[in-house]
Amino acid sequence: MRQPVLEIRNLDVGYGLGDVALRAVRDVSLTLHRGEVLGLAGESGSGKSTLAYGVTRLLPPPGVITGGEVVYHPENGSPYDVLALGDRELRAFRWAETAIVFQGAMNSLNPVHRISVQLTDVIAAHQPDLSARARAERAREMLRLVGIAADRMDAYPHQLSGGMRQRVMIGMALALQPQIVIMDEPTTALDVVMQRQILRQLVALRERLGFSVIFITHDLSLLVEFADRIAIMYGGRIVEEAPASALYRDALHPYTAGLLGSFPALRGPRRDLTGIPGSPPDLTSMPTGCSFHPRCPKAFEPCPVTIPPLGSPDTPGGSTRTVACLLHPATNPEVR
Amino acid sequence: MTPSTSAVAPVSEVVLDAAGLTKHFPVRRRLRDLLSRHAGAVHAVDDVNLTLRRGQVVALVGESGSGKSTVARLLAQLHPRTGGEIRLNGEAVTVRGGRRFRAYAKRVQMIFQDPFASLNPVHSVRYHLTRSLRIHGRAGEGKDGLDQALTALLSQVQLTPAERYIDKFPHELSGGQRQRVAIARALGAGPEVLLADEPVSMLDVSIRLGVLNLLRDLKDRLDLAILYITHDIASARYFADETLVMYAGRLVEGGDSETVTQRPAHPYTQLLIDSAPDPDRVAGAVAAEVADRGDGEPPSLIRPPEGCRFHPRCPHAMARCTTDLPIPLPVGDRDGHWAACWLYGEPSAEGVAP
Ligand SMILES: Nc1ncnc2c1ncn2[C@@H]1O[C@H](COP(=O)(O)OP(=O)(O)OP(=O)(O)O)[C@@H](O)[C@H]1O
Ligand SMILES: Nc1ncnc2c1ncn2[C@@H]1O[C@H](COP(=O)(O)OP(=O)(O)OP(=O)(O)O)[C@@H](O)[C@H]1O
Ligand code: SF4
Ligand SMILES: [Mg+2]
Ligand SMILES: [Mg+2]
């Protein structure tokens, strides 16, 4: 069976403390398996980045983790809770096991150094025993992987386009050969040809090196094609999680259906685009019951009252997926 | 002039147009290059012609690094140009800073690609928007007038209720919320031309739609001319009247958006359309996909390929493509649809023409 590599259990993350706290991630449970690409999608502000940074404890202040655990399963060795690590072990965990491409990371390149230098420095820090020549070779290889011509290696960040800088960041993350790669909107600045090329490289590399990927994006159509499983977030919670193809063919949560329906179609007749009516919930005063009910086209009597638990629906193939919607009562709601 | 300017849509007044726009960025040579003879410049933009009309949207799509942002920055007069001319309402303009630049910027506003860099982290949303309204004399009368103008701006970008966002700092907003503040700030100037560099690529689909509808609404109500730079060609289909495609610093195709997206003529545009995410190609297919067409690396812009810049990746390349620069040629299916590709030229020696 597929082995878990990272298990997120009942994670709560907020910004600020006490009365003014904003609960950005609420009781999230999610498992990343070895060698898997897990997609995370949802509207802006739904808590995707907060979840990713919570998991690696890289939350900017005033972000605080208020509950839950994040269990990491090393390749050799026994599982441990990342949230319980001391500073030194935490640094070691981040350093050796994870690589993150932050949202907007294209600005985190150092403006005063050539990208070739930044890339080889990072590789050197991780693998001090590599020769200078091998480092340069690895750097060139990574840049080729993300489609940057060798004659631009010596450019400074400001001499590169937005998408080129984004690609350098992806190359840098992959150069570290981590166990878990977290990518937060890594391809927002890329055209589809490039996107596809990089994703294909990522999938191939994953097969060769066996790492796992959490891929955060608002582009659900990209995930449907390229992720193994997809989790959908709304108002800080996971509202649906399923194998990519099942989610696309048969979205159970009305919010997922809304997300899928709001893409402009490139092929076929021009549809009228409605999007999802209404606006995302105010995290400081969430609607009662199902937090999606004010915007839900299928809401019925219990929705404003009862919080739907996340659990497997009673449908064929239901055991491979979970959903939090009263239309699909869970057979095994997770205990809260 | 490329054929793109002929009869694409009902003719309306030209606000901003550019002819022969060219930008080469010099690269400093390193020691080992001194022996080589090539000039050492990034050919970011070469010979771009485009026309923005009142109440119309022109989309500029193309590969990452193909020069789209550079075109926008040239139009906004943020870079000196290597060659070409820019005319605002028919008058050739070249401004370098100072008062003339501010006057130009009030009429031609740019929304930058990257809201993470373009908002100042130490200032609140209120500060950013107030400043834009003040600089351009649109802050209204007194405190009430200002508050009204601020509330209106925020609701235009769907950051409502305004009180929830107005005193926030950039780091307290999600990526999408930040980008909407950047859009509101540009709208604060009340511009005639909006150069929108990937204005919605950071936004999720539902908000993206809202913002595009908003831009369309503003275009209609305020008669704005909009250059819409995007890598999302599907959104160009929905939002833009005309679509131009850029590859490696040159325009390679243009025409009305429906034609360009449904009947792409240039092999690069065809590759772009075929690469668009297609949910019907389900998970795993990407890995299984073996021989994708037109694969390969983007070309060097320091030494761009001779002839057609796409020829090293082009599945249809002919001998002529490796030597002669293709000129814009009418595709022949619709008025104003053109492609810079020899497939649409007179039959060449090999006689390969559609
Ligand atoms: N440093 C912070 N202080 C206070 N609130 C914050 C902070 N960072 C994020 N938030 C709030 O937490 C919520 C979740 O933000 P997050 O960045 O995780 O969303 P997201 O799903 O990644 O959105 P996007 O798609 O726009 O990046 C948002 O409402 C945001 O305003
Ligand atoms: N200041 C500069 N100095 C040198 N080269 C530059 C400079 N600015 C841009 N370039 C180069 O010009 C080319 C075009 O860049 P531009 O930012 O216009 O691309 P783009 O089409 O907007 O790409 P993206 O979709 O990735 O944003 C790139 O190769 C880039 O490296
Ligand atoms: S000109 Fe030749 S190489 Fe260029 S796109 Fe057309 S067929 Fe391909
Ligand atoms: Mg985010
Ligand atoms: Mg750009």
Side-chain angles (χ1 to χ4, degrees):
Chain A
M1 259 313 280
R2 292 178 312 164
Q3 298 171 329
V5 57
L6 197 68
E7 279 180 277
I8 302 168
R9 295 184 192 145
N10 308 98
L11 190 68
D12 274 299
V13 185
Y15 290 100
L17 288 168
D19 292 346
V20 293
L22 184 119
R23 294 184 58 203
V25 167
R26 304 176 181 223
D27 196 18
V28 164
S29 298
L30 196 62
T31 301
L32 176 69
H33 297 99
R34 207 172 290 286
E36 166 179 80
V37 177
L38 174 65
L40 192 58
E43 275 172 311
S44 179
S46 58
K48 306 182 294 295
S49 300
T50 306
L51 176 59
Y53 306 149
V55 163
T56 43
R57 292 175 58 188
L58 284 168
L59 280 169
V64 275
I65 296 170
T66 51
E69 28 183 56
V70 176
V71 178
Y72 176 66
H73 298 254
E75 222 177 342
N76 319 297
S78 43
Y80 54 84
D81 183 359
V82 177
L83 302 187
L85 293 179
D87 282 354
R88 260 200 37 220
E89 302 138 309
L90 180 63
R91 254 196 312 271
F93 163 75
R94 278 194 209 129
W95 190 243
E97 319 286 357
T98 64
I100 303 194
V101 180
F102 288 102
Q103 187 170 17
M106 44 173 149
N107 301 308
S108 46
L109 286 166
N110 187 332
V112 304
H113 293 301
R114 301 175 191 276
I115 58 168
S116 52
V117 173
Q118 300 191 43
L119 212 53
T120 43
D121 279 358
V122 162
I123 295 169
H126 275 249
Q127 284 169 293
D129 42 338
L130 226 53
S131 72
R133 193 195 199 100
R135 286 199 296 264
E137 184 48 45
R138 167 89 62 83
R140 197 163 16 240
E141 149 95 19
M142 286 300 139
L143 288 177
R144 196 189 50 73
L145 213 73
V146 294
I148 293 181
D151 63 4
R152 302 306 300 281
M153 274 190 75
D154 289 329
Y156 290 92
H158 78 273
Q159 298 174 323
L160 301 178
S161 77
M164 290 166 89
R165 277 179 281 144
Q166 211 169 41
R167 286 181 270 148
V168 170
M169 296 310 294
I170 296 175
M172 213 179 262
L174 296 179
L176 305 182
Q177 311 197 332
Q179 286 298 307
I180 298 174
V181 182
I182 298 179
M183 297 193 166
D184 193 359
E185 310 272 12
T187 60
T188 44
L190 301 183
D191 62 279
V192 285
V193 178
M194 199 75 84
Q195 230 173 39
R196 178 170 299 280
Q197 220 155 304
I198 289 181
L199 295 187
R200 206 182 313 130
Q201 302 280 15
L202 186 71
V203 169
L205 259 192
R206 167 194 69 167
E207 256 139 48
R208 208 170 80 212
L209 303 176
F211 57 81
S212 318
V213 184
I214 296 182
F215 196 96
I216 300 176
T217 177
H218 52 251
D219 192 347
L220 194 50
S221 64
L222 190 70
L223 287 183
V224 164
E225 199 181 319
F226 150 84
D228 300 305
R229 281 182 320 127
I230 300 176
I232 307 285
M233 276 188 98
Y234 187 77
R237 291 179 190 277
I238 305 283
V239 295
E240 180 160 13
E241 195 216 319
S245 55
L247 188 103
Y248 171 63
R249 262 186 283 109
D250 186 20
L252 296 181
H253 201 287
Y255 176 64
T256 311
L259 278 183
L260 284 168
S262 43
F263 278 97
L266 183 54
R267 303 175 176 86
R270 284 171 66 120
R271 304 181 270 118
D272 261 350
L273 295 173
T274 48
I276 303 171
S279 45
D282 178 358
L283 294 176
T284 56
S285 62
M286 287 290 264
T288 53
C290 169
S291 52
F292 187 56
H293 87 261
R295 302 171 72 185
C296 182
K298 293 188 175 166
F300 60 119
E301 307 86 69
C303 300
V305 201
T306 312
I307 297 185
L310 185 70
S312 297
D314 188 10
T315 51
S319 62
T320 61
R321 59 194 297 176
T322 54
V323 59
C325 169
L326 297 172
L327 287 170
H328 307 280
T331 51
N332 61 337
E334 278 167 26
V335 198
R336 330 234 114 181
Chain B
M1 270 296 106
T2 63
S4 67
T5 43
S6 64
V8 161
V11 187
S12 64
E13 194 189 330
V14 173
V15 191
L16 190 68
D17 82 338
L21 214 51
T22 299
K23 178 70 188 177
H24 295 172
F25 292 102
V27 285
R28 207 174 336 125
R29 296 196 200 185
R30 308 187 85 181
L31 208 54
R32 63 169 184 266
D33 303 327
L34 284 175
L35 296 173
S36 71
R37 278 186 306 129
H38 70 88
V42 177
H43 295 231
V45 172
D46 267 317
D47 194 23
V48 163
N49 301 314
L50 64 86
T51 302
L52 302 179
R53 295 164 200 276
R54 231 174 261 298
Q56 297 225 337
V57 179
V58 173
L60 185 58
V61 304
E63 185 158 70
S64 167
S66 61
K68 305 180 296 298
S69 296
T70 306
V71 166
R73 300 178 75 94
L74 289 171
L75 291 176
Q77 310 259 8
L78 295 173
H79 281 318
R81 47 190 184 270
T82 308
E85 193 173 64
I86 294 172
R87 290 181 292 260
L88 181 60
N89 295 317
E91 208 179 304
V93 269
T94 302
V95 299
R96 293 290 291 146
R99 200 183 312 138
R100 290 188 57 215
F101 175 74
R102 275 198 300 282
Y104 186 85
K106 174 164 170 42
R107 296 164 74 185
V108 181
Q109 271 283 310
M110 179 149 172
I111 299 171
F112 290 93
Q113 183 165 6
D114 183 359
F116 288 87
S118 67
L119 295 179
N120 187 331
V122 305
H123 290 306
S124 66
V125 172
R126 180 189 299 277
Y127 174 92
H128 281 105
L129 299 186
T130 303
R131 187 152 183 274
S132 163
L133 288 166
R134 286 244 163 85
I135 289 178
H136 300 107
R138 303 177 72 244
E141 295 266 313
K143 190 178 173 316
D144 287 354
L146 176 61
D147 280 347
Q148 260 171 27
L150 288 172
T151 307
L153 265 186
L154 284 173
S155 70
Q156 276 180 340
V157 292
Q158 292 159 29
L159 289 174
T160 51
E163 315 83 74
R164 208 200 286 169
Y165 301 97
I166 188 77
D167 289 313
K168 289 257 179 346
F169 287 84
H171 71 270
E172 296 175 306
L173 300 170
S174 76
Q177 291 164 341
R178 246 178 280 196
Q179 180 65 303
R180 281 179 278 167
V181 172
I183 293 172
R185 181 177 56 178
L187 294 177
E192 283 173 71
V193 178
L194 210 52
L195 305 170
D197 191 359
E198 311 263 13
V200 295
S201 51
M202 308 279 261
L203 309 189
D204 61 80
V205 276
S206 53
I207 296 164
R208 183 184 289 196
L209 255 180
V211 173
L212 288 181
N213 285 339
L214 162 76
L215 286 176
R216 188 180 354 223
D217 178 56
L218 292 166
K219 161 197 95 156
D220 291 340
R221 271 194 302 130
L222 310 177
D223 236 7
L224 281 179
I226 299 181
L227 179 69
Y228 171 57
I229 296 179
T230 183
H231 56 261
D232 176 13
I233 196 166
S235 75
R237 179 187 182 198
Y238 275 77
F239 177 56
D241 302 286
E242 182 186 344
T243 293
L244 299 170
V245 184
M246 203 161 177
Y247 182 79
R250 290 185 172 275
L251 291 183
V252 296
E253 179 164 358
D256 73 84
S257 300
E258 190 66 14
T259 306
V260 171
T261 55
Q262 298 311 296
R263 315 187 48 178
H266 194 282
Y268 172 68
T269 318
Q270 292 170 353
L271 172 64
L272 192 62
I273 300 271
D274 290 347
S275 306
D278 182 352
D280 289 318
R281 240 184 323 210
V282 289
V286 178
E289 231 171 282
V290 259
D292 237 16
R293 295 175 303 113
D295 221 344
E297 290 157 46
S300 158
L301 290 182
I302 294 180
R303 267 190 263 210
E306 293 284 303
C308 171
R309 288 188 180 174
F310 190 57
H311 87 254
R313 298 169 72 182
C314 180
H316 308 290
M318 305 162 278
R320 179 183 197 179
C321 306
T322 61
T323 51
D324 301 355
L325 180 69
I327 51 170
L329 294 160
V331 175
D333 53 352
R334 286 288 291 274
D335 264 6
H337 187 196
W338 61 271
C341 168
W342 291 123
L343 290 171
Y344 303 91
E346 338 72 71
S348 61
E350 296 107 316
V352 192

